[in-house]
Structures are given as C-alpha cells and as structure tokens.
C-alpha cells in the first residue's frame, strides 16, 4: 500500500481504490467473494467502506498478490484469522518428516530412472 489509511469514518469506493491500488471493479468482485468484506451502502446505493474494511482489502490483496494464494486459500486463511485460530499447517516441506519422506522418494525415483536408462542387456547407454 502506497500510503497510510486516513482516520476517517467512511471511504467511498474510489478512495479505497486509490488507497489500496485495487480497481473498483475488483473491489466489487471481492465483496461478492469474501463475506467478511461487506461495506455499508448509503441511500443512493454507494458503498461506504469503514477503516476496517479498507484494512481487510489490504489483507486480501496481500494474500492474493504477495502470498499468491487462490481465492479459496485466501478465504480459508481469513476465516481462520477472524476466528483467532492458528494458521493452518502448510503442506510444504517445513516438517522434517515430510522432508525425509521426499528424500526417500527422490532416491527411489533416481534408482528407477537409472534402471530404465540401461538397455535390455543391463548396460548403461
């Protein structure tokens, strides 16, 4: 985000777009996708974002663009954060047991590749 969020009660969609760098049409789409993002509307039907809505837009933008999560992944993360739950475990290689299992699989695959690369008489090409 290029600038700090001013201390105002409400922001119009154009102001939020300028503050966050997220186009208005994307903000409207995110409103339909993320149930936590629900700006009020005035009598004329214009969206009125509160400061917490703007902060949520910044968080959604970070999850989607910086952390490169899918919409579903971002929704799950936001839901977990709103409930105060710990971050869901990442299926990556942060767990040493997973790293060891991947090393064993890699070793087996390399052995298979070596076997397959030999010709039918048992000699390497």
């Amino acid at each position: 985000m290029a600038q700090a969020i001013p201390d105002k009660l409400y922001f119009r969609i154009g102001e939020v777009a300028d503050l966050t760098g997220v186009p208005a049409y994307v903000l409207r789409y995110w409103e339909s996708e993320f149930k936590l993002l629900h700006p009020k509307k005035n009598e004329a039907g214009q969206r009125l974002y509160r400061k917490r809505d703007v902060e949520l837009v910044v968080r959604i933008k970070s999850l989607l663009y910086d952390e490169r999560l899918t919409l579903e992944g971002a929704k799950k993360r936001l839901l977990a954060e709103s409930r105060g739950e710990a971050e869901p475990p990442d299926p990556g290689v942060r767990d040493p047991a997973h790293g060891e299992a991947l090393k064993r699989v890699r070793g087996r695959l390399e052995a298979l590749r070596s076997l397959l690369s030999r010709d039918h008489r048992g000699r390497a090409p």
Side-chain angles (χ1 to χ4, degrees), residues 36-39 48-57:
L36 293 173
L37 182 62
H38 47 83
L48 298 175
Y49 290 80
R50 294 168 292 225
K51 187 171 183 174
R52 68 182 176 98
D53 294 323
V54 178
E55 291 167 348
L56 182 58
V57 167

Side-chain angles (χ1 to χ4, degrees), residues 43-111:
E43 298 82 28
Q46 295 174 325
R47 288 165 173 80
L48 298 175
Y49 290 80
R50 294 168 292 225
K51 187 171 183 174
R52 68 182 176 98
D53 294 323
V54 178
E55 291 167 348
L56 182 58
V57 167
V58 171
R59 181 67 180 133
I60 292 170
K61 180 181 177 184
S62 173
L63 291 172
L64 295 176
Y65 298 162
D66 298 336
E67 295 186 35
R68 305 188 63 73
L69 293 177
T70 62
L71 281 174
E72 287 304 315
K75 288 177 195 178
K76 287 178 184 176
R77 177 82 59 89
L78 286 173
L79 187 60
E81 289 174 1
S82 73
R83 292 180 176 168
E85 297 173 3
E87 190 170 317
D90 186 4
V93 189
R94 292 188 179 131
D95 184 2
H98 290 182
E100 290 303 315
L102 286 174
K103 285 179 186 176
R104 285 192 306 273
V105 169
R106 175 178 277 157
R108 291 175 183 164
L109 288 172
E110 287 173 351

Side-chain angles (χ1 to χ4, degrees), residues 107-119 122-125:
R108 291 175 183 164
L109 288 172
E110 287 173 351
L112 277 172
R113 181 175 54 185
S114 175
L115 285 173
L116 292 172
S117 66
R118 297 174 187 252
D119 68 4
R123 292 182 294 184

Side-chain angles (χ1 to χ4, degrees), residues 18-37:
D18 291 340
L19 284 170
T20 61
V22 177
Y25 72 92
V26 174
L27 292 171
R28 287 188 292 273
Y29 175 69
W30 285 356
E31 184 182 332
S32 69
E33 289 293 320
F34 295 92
K35 300 305 176 200
L36 293 173
L37 182 62

